[in-house]
Every structure is written in C-alpha cells, then in structure tokens.
Amino acid sequence: MDFDLVVKNGIIVTASEVLQPGLEIGIKDGKIICIGTALPASTSTQVIEAEGAYITPGGVDSHVHLAQKNSPTGDGWETGSRSAIAGGTTTIIAFASQPKDATSLYPVLEDYDKKAKDQSYADYGYHFILTNPTKAILQEELPVMAAQHGITSVKLYMTYEAMRVDDRQVLDILFACRSLGMTTMIHAESHDMINLIIEGLERNKNADPFFHAVARPRIAEDEASYRAISLAELADAPMLIVHMSSEVAVNHVREAQTRLLPIHAETCPHYLFLLSEEIKGKSHDHFSGAKHVCSPPLRHHPKDLEGLWQSIANGTFTTFSSDHAPSKYDHPGGKRLGLVDGIPRFTKIPNGLPGVETRIPLLFGQTPACQPPEKANLTLSRFVQLTATNPAKLYGLAGRKGSIAPGYDADLIIWHPKDTGAVTISQDLMHHDIDYTPFEGVHVGNWPRYTILRGQVVWDKSKGVVGNMKYGQYLKRGKGQVLTGRIGNLPRGMIEDERRYWL
C-alpha cells in the first residue's frame, strides 16, 4: 500500500479507549485505510511525526450560526470555517433559517446554499430552523429535504417573537420528524415568563446589559425544558435540547433518560467557564458586558457551573457545541445596537458569542492530557464522545465523521506533546471576523498542532491556516441515531395502545 500520509508515534484516542502509544495511521485518498505499526512510506508519502502527542478525531461542531440575516456583523462562511479549523473542528453544521412569512423551504435552501458554496475551509451541513411549519412543509417538503439533500435535522424556538413556535406546532413537527427519522433540536425558554420580567425591568428603568441575565432566569429554562420533554414524550420522538445552562433543567433531562426516553442534551463552553458577572462590564467601559449577552444567559453562581461539569462527566450531555453566533462589539450594527442615544437597552443587544475556534481547546484542557487526573473534569474518551463521535452519530454522519477507524474520513487533531502546547486565549490569536473573544485571558493546556481534513493538513500551528477555502465539502447526511433511551415508550399514566385512538 502506497499511503498518501502516515501519522506516526501518536497516542490515538477514540470514544471508547486510549490506544497504546506508537500506533500509526495510514491514509489514502482522504480516508483512514489502516491503523498499525511500521507502516510503509514511499518517497511520495507525507509523514507526520506526532512525537508522543495525543491524536483525536477532527471536531464536529453541530451548532454554528454563519451568514444569517439577523446577524449582519457576524461571521460568514469563509471566516467562520477558517476559525473552526484553527481550533480543531473539521465539520460544522450551520442553520438555514426560515423567515416567519416563508411558506416553502426551497428558497431558504437555495439562498443558503449560495452563501456557503466554495466558501468553507471545513466540511459542512445544514439544519433548518422552522418558524412557519405549514402542513405542506411537514408532509411534502421535509421528506424531500431529508432524502435528496441530506438535511435530517430541524431546530425550533420556544421564545423570540419572530421565531417561536407554539406547543401545538412543536408537536406537529415532532410527529413529522419522528416519521422521517430526523433529529429535532429545541431552544427551551419560557417566552411568557421572559416577557413579563422584561416589561417590569423596563418599567423600573433597569436596562443595563447585566439585566439581560435577570430577564431570563433559570426557572424560565427549567420550565420550558420540562415542557419540551413532555411534548416529546407524548409524540414518542427523539429530541435534543440545545445550549443548556441550568442544572435543574439538565436534571429534567437526566430523569427522562433514566426512563429511557430519547432525550439528548447539549451545552456550550460559555456555560462551563463564565458567569453573569462578566455581563456587568468593565469599570472603564460599562457597556462592554454586552460582549457576553447570549440566550440562555450566563448564570450567576459557581454551583451552576459545577452542576454542568458533573453532567459532562456522568454522560447526561450528548454533545458539546459552540453555539457560535457572534456580532461585532465595536460596530453600530453589532452589539452597540444596544446603545440607544447613548443609553443602554439590553433588549436591543444582539444575542450570541463567538466560540467555534475555542470550543475544543477549552474542553481538552480539562482532560488528563492537561490536568492532574484528580483535577480533570472529564476523561479523554468522554472528550471525544462530546466533541466528535456523538454529534456525528446524532446528525447522520456515523461511519464517515467523528471517529479514528478504517473507512472513516481522515479528519484528525494532532495535539502538541505534553507540556508544550499551552496557550492563553486572546483576540490576537483568533481567526474569526469578530472583534473580541469572550474567553480573553483564559489559559488552556494545549492547542491543536495540526488539523487534518480528509487527509490534508489545513491548520499548522507554526504556519497558521494552510487549507484551501474551497476544500470544504457539503455533507449529505443520513438519518440520525438515538444515542440515549429508545423509541416506543408509553407516556406515564397512559394505557397500552392509547395513542391508537387519536393518531
């Protein structure tokens, strides 16, 4: 076998184990061909010496917002995907968002396809955001989108007036997606709770950025998460609750999982590393707290972070995504929309933070690769599950992405050898098109030395981004897998076959 690339002397980490040191990875035509020892290398074979460093699968970030109309100062495909590969992410799944007045998904797909085509350094796919789930869309268009275009997931919002769907619409979507084997994602916050609190804050002239966190209390996420789980249980449909930030809401998921309901959970770096104190801003720039405005908001107490870390370690969370949804800070069309005639108005601040580049290094820094074992927040295999293997399986990319095994795309992160790759995160190091990082000054114990996409080195820490913007391929995805629980559960209190009377 004449390999195109051989990676030598690394420690391979999979979702189930850390393999013995010194194994080699043989790559041909963008695929992993074999894992072994003493693999032959001809004069045409590129050889990368890992020097005893860990090798993990290229990251799959399944929650990324790029080139969306409601974020005109945010990242487009070129800058967002460039940032992704610089941080070890080789696959991104972004959102094609349906306007509330749109009665078909075909124009939505066509428009988003034009934005992404030949603009991505990373491989990519789409989710649909459904805001107007008409009968024609659910019964006629979604089957075509899944079968012909490989778009096998949708996202719903329980809040935001311009995007929210009511409980009946959630049910209609769940039943439609269940029949197609599609994954339903849901943003769970109580719209009415939030609106009531916002009205009171504005009436009392409490409008600084920090009051964004006050306006969206934990109980609003707790209630909506429980309600979303109940809707999914009635429909007997898999669901992923996105960007969870509340320990109580996550406990609702864990309780559902113990009853074998197919309820998955996702969290993000900002909910593990940052607190609402950041939203108060700096003394010299009070409005700078706007940089940390996101929904759900950063929580108030360290115990909130501790609860989420426990759920990272114990398996409650299925995926760990960036929710990269940034707007520039120092721009009149970005976060500074929240300054109205010089007066802060938190309701006008665009939601979202940059994070697609920092997601993987932040979490890797909490593993035994960078921490003493007694201080590590998760194992190396759990890291691989959360950042690569699970999202690949959940979103229909199993067998191609998310693992290091023969037959898979040769998507790899090669880290620095121990104690040589530490980085302090700063805006100067970032490759996005945003003017700040919320993780400024955070120390991480390692950073990707090489990012490899389908056998090609696209990031070399010593040289920077070396990939081609047109190298990223669109991924037609298959049906997602249920990774926790099962289909076929009877909702509590129902008699056997009760659904047959009304389905």
Side-chain angles (χ1 to χ4, degrees), residues 141-464:
E141 295 192 3
L142 280 187
V144 175
M145 293 299 178
Q148 296 186 14
H149 299 279
I151 301 175
T152 53
S153 48
V154 301
K155 182 183 178 184
L156 320 177
Y157 287 86
M158 298 176 79
T159 188
Y160 298 133
E161 197 60 58
M163 307 183 81
R164 69 185 289 255
V165 290
D166 61 31
D167 288 358
R168 173 54 192 271
Q169 291 172 310
V170 172
L171 283 168
D172 289 340
I173 294 165
L174 284 168
F175 277 111
C177 288
R178 183 190 187 280
S179 69
L180 295 168
M182 297 180 71
T183 302
T184 301
M185 311 158 70
I186 194 159
H187 177 138
E189 288 184 289
S190 172
H191 184 73
D192 291 328
M193 283 188 187
I194 292 167
N195 275 359
L196 180 144
I197 296 171
I198 288 176
E199 289 173 8
L201 288 169
E202 291 183 330
R203 184 172 60 249
N204 293 327
K205 300 187 181 346
N206 292 317
D208 284 351
F210 176 74
F211 290 106
H212 172 81
V214 176
R216 310 180 89 94
R218 222 175 65 166
I219 193 172
E221 182 181 350
D222 300 341
E223 183 278 329
S225 297
Y226 186 86
R227 180 158 40 102
I229 292 167
S230 299
L231 297 172
E233 183 174 8
L234 180 69
D236 190 25
M239 173 184 283
L240 174 105
I241 304 178
V242 298
H243 48 49
M244 300 194 77
S245 67
S246 164
E247 181 183 6
V248 173
V250 176
N251 285 341
H252 292 329
V253 172
R254 186 144 184 92
E255 190 274 336
Q257 291 173 347
T258 63
R259 294 191 289 117
L260 298 183
L261 297 182
I263 305 299
H264 306 91
E266 168 200 274
T267 196
C268 309
H270 35 287
Y271 301 123
L272 296 176
F273 290 90
L274 304 175
L275 290 169
S276 64
E277 189 73 19
E278 302 285 347
I279 317 175
K280 293 182 178 179
K282 309 298 181 185
S283 58
H284 65 281
D285 183 5
H286 184 58
F287 189 70
S288 66
K291 295 176 180 178
H292 292 86
V293 166
C294 58
S295 294
L298 306 182
R299 298 304 178 190
H300 301 315
H301 304 295
K303 65 182 181 182
D304 293 315
L305 275 61
E306 293 166 9
L308 297 184
W309 276 116
Q310 289 176 5
S311 295
I312 283 281
N314 69 21
T316 304
F317 283 118
T318 309
T319 64
F320 177 75
S321 303
S322 69
D323 191 12
H324 182 82
S327 295
K328 288 185 174 68
Y329 170 67
D330 196 13
H331 190 290
K335 295 286 188 179
R336 289 191 177 274
L337 282 171
L339 279 176
V340 182
D341 297 327
I343 299 172
R345 292 282 300 277
F346 75 84
T347 57
K348 304 296 184 183
I349 299 171
N351 277 246
L353 311 175
V356 70
E357 186 167 349
T358 48
R359 173 186 74 115
I360 284 181
L362 282 166
L363 196 63
F364 190 77
Q366 297 299 309
T367 70
C370 302
Q371 299 283 347
E374 67 275 10
K375 292 185 178 180
N377 279 312
L378 72 165
T379 66
L380 281 159
S381 287
R382 185 80 179 112
F383 164 82
V384 170
Q385 292 170 19
L386 289 163
T387 60
T389 307
N390 284 359
K393 290 179 177 179
L394 187 66
Y395 293 107
L397 293 170
R400 181 173 180 184
K401 300 290 186 182
S403 294
I404 300 176
Y408 280 76
D409 284 359
D411 297 350
L412 308 172
I413 304 171
I414 303 175
W415 298 87
H416 287 80
K418 191 172 179 62
D419 301 327
T420 63
V423 167
T424 298
I425 295 173
S426 73
Q427 170 62 13
D428 292 342
L429 298 177
M430 297 296 100
H431 294 79
H432 54 212
D433 187 32
I434 306 301
D435 53 2
Y436 75 98
T437 170
F439 302 104
E440 187 77 38
V442 175
H443 179 83
V444 292
N446 210 323
W447 196 272
R449 185 180 185 186
Y450 301 106
T451 302
I452 297 174
L453 171 60
R454 286 181 281 110
Q456 297 292 317
V457 176
V458 293
W459 162 258
D460 180 335
K461 183 68 165 54
S462 66
K463 300 176 182 177

Side-chain angles (χ1 to χ4, degrees), residues 90-92 121-124 401 409 453-454 471-473 475:
T90 51
T91 297
I92 50 180
Y121 287 90
D123 286 355
Y124 64 96
K401 300 290 186 182
D409 284 359
L453 171 60
R454 286 181 281 110
Y471 187 60
Q473 292 182 351
L475 299 169

Side-chain angles (χ1 to χ4, degrees), residues 85-153:
I85 63 171
T89 291
T90 51
T91 297
I92 50 180
I93 310 179
F95 295 93
S97 184
Q98 177 196 23
K100 197 76 169 178
D101 59 354
T103 57
S104 172
L105 295 179
Y106 290 107
V108 176
L109 177 58
E110 182 180 1
D111 177 62
Y112 206 58
D113 254 338
K114 289 178 180 177
K115 294 176 179 177
K117 186 175 175 56
D118 294 332
Q119 295 292 309
S120 184
Y121 287 90
D123 286 355
Y124 64 96
Y126 311 140
H127 315 281
F128 278 121
I129 293 176
L130 296 184
T131 60
N132 183 20
T134 66
K135 186 175 291 187
I137 286 174
L138 297 182
Q139 295 181 359
E140 300 169 18
E141 295 192 3
L142 280 187
V144 175
M145 293 299 178
Q148 296 186 14
H149 299 279
I151 301 175
T152 53
S153 48

